[in-house]
Amino acid sequence: MLPDDSLAVRGFHLIEHVLLILVALMTLGAAGIEIANIVATRTISLADILLMFLYTEVIGMIAVFYTGRGSPFVYPIFIAITALARLIVLQGKDMAPDKILFEAGAILLLAIAAVVITRAGRG
């Protein structure tokens, strides 16, 4: 086990911070491109709104890593739930009913996992 102040641990923390900043910048860039497309086409669809929620959740996840508030494991679950909901909304009419049920079941399983992780963190 490496001590917390070892060179390797400090190096990994530096890499983590650089990558988190890169993810934040890429997310803000993607959100900016999406907003520019919305302005250019002058239409807002449900897919656009759900995509903006995904971007917001990614930024929220990065904030959790930096502030230490909340469980960093719950935000990826929320992102997965939103992504699955977006997939159901966008392809719902063309998808087979059994696939919609499988994806809804995956959302339920992820929601249960988020509750379990949240409650385990409080105990």
Side-chain angles (χ1 to χ4, degrees), residues 56-58 60-61 64 69-80:
T56 303
E57 288 174 1
V58 170
M61 181 177 64
V64 165
R69 289 190 220 136
S71 173
F73 300 106
V74 175
Y75 271 87
I77 293 173
F78 290 158
I79 292 169

Side-chain angles (χ1 to χ4, degrees), residues 15-81:
I15 291 169
E16 178 185 37
H17 288 290
V18 168
L19 290 176
L20 283 172
I21 290 169
L22 184 62
V23 168
L25 291 173
M26 291 170 62
T27 303
L28 291 174
I33 291 169
E34 184 65 26
I35 291 169
N37 287 338
I38 290 170
V39 170
T41 59
R42 293 184 177 183
T43 58
I44 301 172
S45 67
L46 183 57
D48 297 328
I49 295 168
L50 291 173
L51 190 58
M52 295 307 280
F53 270 113
L54 283 171
Y55 294 145
T56 303
E57 288 174 1
V58 170
I59 295 297
M61 181 177 64
I62 293 167
V64 165
F65 276 110
Y66 277 109
T67 62
R69 289 190 220 136
S71 173
F73 300 106
V74 175
Y75 271 87
I77 293 173
F78 290 158
I79 292 169
I81 290 171

